[in-house]
Amino acid sequence: MKRRATASGGGAILLWSTLAALTAATRGIPPFETLALSFFVAFLAGIAGLALRGKLRRLRQTPLAWVIGVAGLFAYHALYFSALDHAPPAQAGLIAYLWPLLIVLFAAMLPGGVLRARHVLGALMGLAGTVVILLGGQGLNGHGSALGYGCALAAAFVWAVYSVANRRISAVPSDLIAGVCGVVAALALVAHGATEPTVIPDSGQALALLALGLGPVGLAFFLWDFATKHGDLALLGTLSYAAPLLSTGLLITLGRAPMSRAIIAAAALIVGGAAVSAGLTRTGKGHPAPARAGTPGGRGPRQETH
C-alpha cells in the first residue's frame, strides 16, 4: 500500500502543477469567491462519487477527522490568498513553498520515523531548485508587507502540519474529503460575503473554475489525503518540489513564461533531490513506515480504501 499511496501523492503533485495556469484564467474573480466556487465543484463531484458507490456512510467520522481536514484546507488557502494580496507573488510563493521541506522534517516526529541526512539533503536541493525558479523570474527585489510574508510562512506551516497530522488519522477513509470540501466552500462563501464584491464569471472563467474544482482543488486533495496517511512522507515532501517546476513548464508551453537557464538548473536540482531522497526509501535502506494511529509499532486494523 505504501508505494501506491506515494504514487497517488505524485498524482496530486501533477494536478497541482496546473493550479497557476487555471488560476490565471480566473483572474478578475475575487479570491474567496474563487475558493468557494471551486471547492463547491469539488464537493459536488465527491458527493456524487460517494452516492454512486453507496459510500455516503463514510462521511460519518470523528470530529477530530473533520477538524483536521477543514482546518488544513481552509486555513492554508485563506492564508495563501491573503499572502498574495499583501506581498509580491514571487516572494510570497517562495515562503509558502517551504511546506515540502517542513514535511520532510516533521515526518521524523512520527512514531517509527527516522530522519536521515539524505532526506534533508534531498529536500534542501529541492528547495534550492524552487528558489532558482523564482529568482529566474521576478526575483526577490519587491517589497511586500510583513502581514503578507507572515501569512505565507503561516500557510507553509499549516499545510505541513496538516499533511503530517493526517498520518494520525490514517484509519479515516479519504472519501471524507468530499464533505470537507463542502464545509470549506461554505466558510469561503461566508468570508466572500463579508469581504468581497461578487463577480459573475464569464464562460472562460466558469470553465477554469470547473477545472479547478475537478483537478487541483478536487481530486488532488483525495489523492494527497491517501498519500499522507499511508505513503512515504519524507519522499512526498521532496517530490512536492516538482510542482513549481511543472507549473513553470506548463506556463512556458502556454506562452506565459520564457524558457531560461534557470529552468534547466532548477530541473537538475529538483530531480537530483528527488533521487537522493528516493534512494533512502528502498526496502532495507529507508526509514520504517510510521505506525498507524492507536497501534504504536504495529499494523492497524484492516480498513476500506477508495
Side-chain angles (χ1 to χ4, degrees), residues 17-277:
S17 70
T18 68
L19 183 61
L22 290 174
T23 301
T26 66
R27 184 166 297 174
I29 306 296
F32 280 112
E33 183 180 351
T34 299
L35 183 59
L37 292 174
S38 57
F39 269 82
F40 183 64
V41 170
F43 166 70
L44 291 180
I47 289 297
L50 288 179
L52 289 174
R53 293 185 291 133
K55 301 293 187 180
L56 286 174
R57 65 183 182 278
R58 289 191 172 189
L59 296 179
R60 299 175 183 174
Q61 301 298 331
T62 64
L64 176 62
W66 281 92
V67 168
I68 289 177
V70 172
L73 296 187
F74 180 78
Y76 172 78
H77 288 88
L79 287 166
Y80 183 75
F81 283 127
S82 295
L84 294 184
D85 281 343
H86 294 91
Q91 291 90 322
L94 171 62
I95 296 173
Y97 240 93
L98 287 172
W99 65 260
L101 175 59
L102 293 175
I103 287 178
V104 174
L105 300 179
F106 290 170
M109 301 178 186
L110 292 172
V114 177
L115 185 67
R116 307 270 185 187
R118 289 187 183 180
H119 284 121
V120 177
L121 177 59
L124 290 176
M125 290 173 66
L127 176 61
T130 303
V131 171
V132 168
I133 289 177
L134 294 174
L135 291 179
Q138 297 181 18
L140 295 175
N141 298 317
H143 297 285
S145 69
L147 175 61
Y149 292 133
C151 286
L153 182 60
F157 273 91
V158 165
W159 195 253
V161 170
Y162 162 72
S163 297
V164 175
N166 246 358
R167 186 60 63 95
R168 294 290 187 178
I169 54 171
S170 61
V172 176
S174 296
D175 293 306
L176 179 64
I177 292 296
V180 168
C181 285
V183 177
V184 171
L187 292 175
L189 182 62
V190 172
H192 164 64
T195 63
E196 302 171 339
T198 298
V199 176
I200 304 300
D202 59 28
S203 59
Q205 292 169 328
L207 287 174
L209 287 168
L210 180 62
L212 278 171
L214 295 177
V217 182
L219 178 59
F221 292 137
F222 288 86
L223 295 175
W224 188 252
D225 182 83
F226 181 61
T228 53
K229 286 176 178 175
H230 306 288
D232 186 329
L233 285 176
L235 179 55
L236 285 170
T238 300
L239 293 178
S240 296
Y241 285 106
L245 175 65
L246 295 173
S247 178
T248 302
L250 180 59
L251 292 173
I252 291 173
T253 301
L254 296 175
R256 294 180 178 272
M259 173 61 81
S260 66
R261 293 180 180 178
I263 299 299
I264 298 175
L269 285 167
I270 292 172
V271 174
V276 169
S277 182

